[in-house]
């Protein structure tokens, strides 16, 4: 055991991605740490570091901003946060779409590209809980929060890009004097948008273009003159590289150790689901209709001058000519002139468009052929051209299966594998023994996994999780990964259940952690007097949570 290890002296909190599910589970975690006291003060006061990702950043930015304000009171913050996203009043998506369609918004923000994620960023900027810029963290006025890190991913080097107040801002390839000079101009709302814009749902923000309003400054112009920043750097979802913010927290702990001592406890709050919706193949049978070649030929056949166009033209001219010769009952009929003129006009228009379309077809065909010859390696030409013999139904099935499996790989398989690797890295670090709590949203919902029939509860914690508590946990854990509430979420009261789940799961995990500390041979020399007082208070709350899982949520709302 390290000599300086003192449980609960300095705590780091990680808040994972996962949309609103992450945001409000995080709010529950922190609200319980504020409730439970250790050494005559809220345990939350011992939190010195926060690392957040995606939906966790929606909470993390709001909390770390409020915690540094003069006269900060947690209950006021809780109510402001709650009211900002209260399901029946939440207009985040609706407002962002309206901004995207409003020309005036983009005229007022000419530095930003017109995109959905920038519309979200501007919507966040209108919310009081996200007003301000990164300069708020330059000199933290309290001892409570010394380190904040909001995680994103860069799309130039594929590395974590960290908006942090200690350690390197950004990452090694994307950090320089100009970036450090500009970082305090970055709006908190843009950081929230950057961290929470998940792939396929949003596009990346462009750094520094979308972030810096004053693009006439020397630092901005100097940065843009560099090759790596000349076209901008794509920045988006921190969950791509590390959806739990573990890597950043480990860096913070090592940074502290080099100066004084590392963190004494890391609480990893994770709402990432272990479940996947299995990939479903398309039906084996396909429509054996026309081939690609046949379909293209049919389409291209419309882009030419057809005999029918000439026939219409001849009929129209002939009708007017014969009418002028008074062939029909010895006189010229006005109606026949009109009819003949219409038919002639249609024939002329169709012929004209056919000629133009034929010319354009030739240009486009030559262009496509040129691109094909330039970009398809010669050995693959025959293989690619062989696809033209396939039926459209078969090609549709092939494309659908490729797209659906790729989406599943990016959004589930890849992220879950990275998640496993990050946890393996965390738990294999000997310096962190007895210093980790992993708290998951689904841990107390009573459901099994693909790996276990049920989660193994600590039998030394009594009472066992009640049916009511597990039902609340299940409702919370089934919340979809979105940045909006739908009718089902409102009907199930998911916002409140997520907050409650964060609270009672934190209570349970702290009890579990203390009991394991007391059994560990590495901690036998610790003075457990204050820890036992904390344990007693935790056990009382655990009993109350089992009777009424919502009791502390209700207390904070009133």
């Amino acid at each position: 055991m390290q000599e300086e290890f003192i449980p609960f002296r300095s705590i780091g909190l990680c808040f994972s991605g996962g949309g609103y599910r992450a945001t409000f589970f995080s709010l529950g975690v922190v609200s319980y740490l504020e409730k439970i006291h250790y050494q005559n003060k809220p345990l939350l006061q011992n939190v010195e570091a926060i690392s957040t990702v995606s939906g966790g950043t929606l909470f993390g930015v709001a909390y770390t901003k409020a915690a540094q304000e003069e006269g900060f009171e947690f209950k006021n913050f809780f109510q402001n946060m709650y009211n900002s996203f209260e399901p029946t009043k939440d207009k985040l998506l609706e407002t962002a779409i309206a901004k995207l369609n409003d020309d005036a918004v983009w005229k007022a923000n000419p530095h930003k590209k017109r995109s959905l994620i920038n519309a979200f960023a501007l919507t966040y900027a209108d919310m009081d809980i996200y007003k301000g810029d990164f300069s708020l963290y330059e000199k933290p006025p309290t001892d409570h929060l010394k380190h904040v890190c909001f995680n994103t991913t860069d799309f130039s080097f594929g590395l974590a890009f960290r908006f942090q107040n200690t350690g390197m801002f950004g990452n090694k390839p994307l950090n320089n004097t100009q970036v450090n000079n500009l970082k305090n101009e970055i709006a908190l709302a843009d950081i929230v948008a950057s961290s929470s814009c998940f792939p396929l749902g949003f596009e990346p923000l462009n750094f520094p273009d979308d972030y810096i309003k004053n693009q006439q400054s020397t630092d901005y112009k100097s940065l843009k003159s560099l090759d790596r920043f000349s076209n901008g750097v794509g920045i988006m979802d921190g969950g791509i590289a590390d959806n739990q913010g573990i890597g950043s927290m480990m860096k913070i702990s090592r940074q502290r150790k080099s100066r004084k001592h590392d963190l004494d406890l890391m609480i990893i709050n994770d709402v990432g689901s272990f479940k996947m919706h299995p990939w479903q193949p398309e039906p084996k049978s396909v429509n054996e209709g026309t081939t690609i070649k046949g379909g293209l030929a049919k389409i291209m056949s419309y882009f030419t001058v057809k005999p029918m166009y000439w026939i219409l033209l001849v009929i129209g001219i002939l009708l007017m000519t014969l009418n002028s010769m008074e062939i029909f009952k010895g006189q010229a009929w006005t109606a026949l002139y009109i009819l003949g003129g219409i038919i002639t006009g249609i024939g002329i228009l169709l012929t004209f468009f056919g000629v133009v379309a034929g010319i354009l077809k030739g240009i486009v065909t030559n262009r496509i052929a040129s691109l094909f010859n330039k970009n398809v390696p010669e050995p693959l030409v025959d293989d690619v051209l062989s696809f033209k013999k396939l039926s459209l139904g078969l090609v549709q099935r092939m494309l659908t299966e490729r797209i659906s499996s790729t989406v599943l790989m990016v959004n589930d398989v890849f992220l879950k594998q990275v998640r496993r690797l990050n946890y393996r890295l965390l738990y294999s670090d000997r310096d962190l023994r007895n210093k980790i709590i992993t708290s998951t949203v689904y841990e107390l919902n009573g459901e099994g996994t693909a790996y276990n029939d049920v989660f193994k509860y600590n039998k030394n914690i009594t009472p066992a999780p009640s049916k009511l508590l597990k039902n609340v946990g299940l409702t919370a854990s089934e919340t979809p990964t979105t940045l909006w509430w739908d009718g089902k979420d409102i009907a199930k009261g998911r916002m409140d259940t997520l907050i409650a789940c964060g609270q009672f799961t934190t209570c349970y995990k702290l009890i579990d952690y203390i009991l394991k500390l007391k059994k560990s041979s590495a901690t036998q020399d610790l003075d457990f007097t204050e820890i036992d007082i904390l344990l007693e208070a935790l056990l009382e709350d655990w009993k109350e949570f089992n009777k009424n899982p919502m009791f502390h949520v209700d207390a904070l709302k009133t």
Side-chain angles (χ1 to χ4, degrees):
M1 184 184 74
Q2 294 183 3
E3 186 177 347
E4 289 188 334
F5 174 56
I6 302 174
F8 306 112
R9 175 180 54 179
S10 57
I11 301 172
L13 299 178
C14 290
F15 294 116
S16 77
Y20 278 179
R21 187 173 69 250
T23 304
F24 295 100
F25 184 80
S26 302
L27 179 58
V29 171
V30 169
S31 64
Y32 185 70
L33 294 177
E34 168 66 18
K35 178 186 186 300
I36 196 69
H37 281 58
Y38 175 66
Q39 295 180 333
N40 299 316
K41 66 178 181 179
L43 187 57
L44 183 60
Q45 291 300 310
N46 288 2
V47 171
E48 297 184 0
I50 286 182
S51 173
T52 70
V53 179
S54 196
T57 300
L58 265 75
F59 165 77
V61 169
Y63 173 69
T64 56
K65 171 184 178 290
Q68 297 184 73
E69 295 171 354
E70 240 180 276
F72 170 71
E73 291 186 8
F74 184 84
K75 189 169 184 178
N76 289 339
F77 160 72
F78 179 94
Q79 293 179 347
N80 288 336
M81 183 76 185
Y82 189 96
N83 292 334
S84 296
F85 293 93
E86 202 276 317
T88 59
K89 301 174 184 176
D90 182 29
K91 303 292 182 183
L92 180 60
L93 178 60
E94 181 182 328
T95 304
I97 295 296
K99 285 185 181 294
L100 185 61
N101 289 325
D102 189 346
D103 293 340
V105 169
W106 305 102
K107 288 180 181 178
N109 296 276
H111 67 292
K112 281 188 171 292
K113 179 180 66 177
R114 192 167 187 166
S115 65
L116 180 59
I117 190 57
N118 272 320
F120 266 82
L122 293 171
T123 303
Y124 292 134
D126 290 339
M127 301 171 69
D128 289 337
I129 58 174
Y130 297 126
K131 289 187 184 299
D133 54 43
F134 197 74
S135 64
L136 288 170
Y137 303 109
E138 189 172 15
K139 293 180 180 178
T142 67
D143 291 332
H144 166 41
L145 287 173
K146 294 183 174 70
H147 314 272
V148 296
C149 180
F150 310 118
N151 296 277
T152 61
T153 306
D154 85 69
F155 272 50
S156 289
F157 297 93
L159 300 173
F161 187 97
R162 298 181 173 96
F163 295 90
Q164 58 183 351
N165 66 337
T166 59
M168 183 180 292
F169 186 91
N171 57 43
K172 189 171 182 180
L174 296 173
N175 176 270
N176 55 38
T177 300
Q178 290 78 24
V179 169
N180 288 331
N181 289 343
L182 290 169
K183 67 181 182 182
N184 286 337
E185 297 179 32
I186 297 174
L188 298 181
D190 287 339
I191 295 173
V192 173
S194 303
S195 185
S196 61
C197 59
F198 52 88
L200 300 177
F202 297 96
E203 56 279 275
L205 279 88
N206 197 19
F207 183 85
D209 307 55
D210 287 332
Y211 296 80
I212 306 300
K213 288 185 178 181
N214 180 13
Q215 300 190 349
Q216 300 305 313
S217 69
T218 301
D219 285 316
Y220 177 84
K221 289 182 177 180
S222 296
L223 187 62
K224 289 293 290 180
S225 70
L226 302 176
D227 287 343
R228 290 182 180 179
F229 296 92
S230 59
N231 295 319
V233 176
I235 303 291
M236 71 183 304
D237 192 0
I240 299 169
D242 177 5
N243 197 44
Q244 288 68 44
I246 291 172
S248 297
M249 187 58 71
M250 292 178 73
K251 282 182 175 291
I252 289 171
S253 187
R254 292 191 189 105
Q255 171 192 334
R256 290 171 52 89
K257 186 175 182 179
S258 66
R259 297 178 182 177
K260 187 178 178 182
H261 65 85
D262 54 357
L263 293 167
D264 294 303
L265 176 62
M266 295 182 194
I267 304 178
I268 316 299
N269 300 284
D270 187 358
V271 305
S273 176
F274 57 86
K275 294 182 179 179
M276 281 178 55
H277 294 291
W279 177 77
Q280 297 293 329
E282 292 295 297
K284 289 184 178 180
S285 60
V286 297
N287 180 9
E288 299 291 344
T290 186
T291 64
I292 294 177
K293 181 179 179 181
L296 289 174
K298 186 175 181 180
I299 293 171
M300 297 302 285
S301 68
Y302 293 105
F303 294 91
T304 186
V305 178
K306 293 180 174 292
M308 180 59 68
Y309 303 166
W310 293 102
I311 293 172
L312 286 172
L313 183 59
V314 170
I315 290 174
I317 294 173
L318 184 61
L319 186 61
M320 289 190 293
T321 301
L322 293 175
N323 188 48
S324 65
M325 295 172 64
E326 298 183 353
I327 296 298
F328 305 107
K329 295 187 178 182
Q331 68 179 55
W333 299 86
T334 303
L336 290 179
Y337 277 125
I338 296 172
L339 180 61
I342 292 173
I343 294 173
T344 301
I346 292 173
I348 291 172
L349 283 174
L350 289 175
T351 301
F352 173 77
F353 286 127
V355 171
V356 173
I359 294 171
L360 291 175
K361 179 181 73 172
I363 294 172
V364 172
T365 301
N366 290 334
R367 178 62 177 162
I368 292 174
S370 175
L371 289 172
F372 182 86
N373 292 329
K374 288 181 180 179
N375 293 287
V376 178
E378 187 174 346
L380 296 179
V381 169
D382 290 339
D383 292 333
V384 173
L385 290 177
S386 66
F387 278 88
K388 67 183 182 181
K389 302 174 184 178
L390 299 177
S391 72
L392 290 175
L394 182 57
V395 172
Q396 178 186 1
R397 188 183 72 184
M398 291 167 61
L399 290 175
T400 301
E401 290 187 339
R402 278 158 177 75
I403 292 170
S404 62
S405 61
T406 299
V407 169
L408 193 66
M409 180 181 69
V410 172
N411 279 359
D412 276 297
V413 177
F414 177 72
L415 291 182
K416 283 176 171 54
Q417 183 63 13
V418 171
R419 181 176 186 257
R420 294 185 189 102
L421 292 173
N422 282 324
Y423 273 120
R424 189 174 300 169
L425 178 68
L426 179 70
Y427 280 97
S428 64
D429 191 329
R430 290 182 174 274
D431 289 342
L432 298 178
R433 192 189 313 175
N434 296 316
K435 295 183 178 183
I436 305 168
I437 292 176
T438 300
S439 178
T440 63
V441 71
Y442 49 79
E443 196 154 351
L444 299 175
N445 67 9
E447 294 288 292
T449 73
Y451 314 102
N452 307 94
D453 292 334
V454 293
F455 280 105
K456 293 181 179 179
Y457 304 117
N458 189 329
K459 294 180 180 179
N460 294 315
I461 300 176
T462 55
S466 67
K467 184 176 181 180
L468 181 58
L469 184 144
K470 288 190 285 188
N471 284 341
V472 171
L474 183 60
T475 300
S477 63
E478 290 178 340
T479 306
T481 307
T482 58
L483 292 174
W484 52 84
W485 303 113
D486 61 20
K488 187 175 182 179
D489 296 327
I490 296 172
K492 287 181 171 287
R494 280 202 166 119
M495 184 173 175
D496 285 5
T497 60
L498 280 164
I499 299 170
C501 185
Q503 292 171 349
F504 61 65
T505 303
T506 302
C507 178
Y508 172 86
K509 295 299 294 187
L510 287 171
I511 297 170
D512 180 65
Y513 173 69
I514 292 173
L515 294 179
K516 288 177 179 176
L517 275 184
K518 292 170 78 73
K519 285 186 176 181
S520 174
S521 59
T523 60
Q524 295 305 305
D525 294 334
L526 286 177
D527 181 357
F528 279 91
T529 303
E530 293 290 341
I531 296 175
D532 284 336
I533 295 172
L534 172 62
L535 177 60
E536 186 177 346
L538 289 166
L539 289 169
E540 286 301 312
D541 281 346
W542 176 243
K543 291 177 184 177
E544 191 63 32
F545 277 126
N546 277 278
K547 294 177 186 175
N548 177 13
M550 311 300 294
F551 86 91
H552 192 44
V553 176
D554 293 338
L556 288 168
K557 286 167 60 176
T558 55

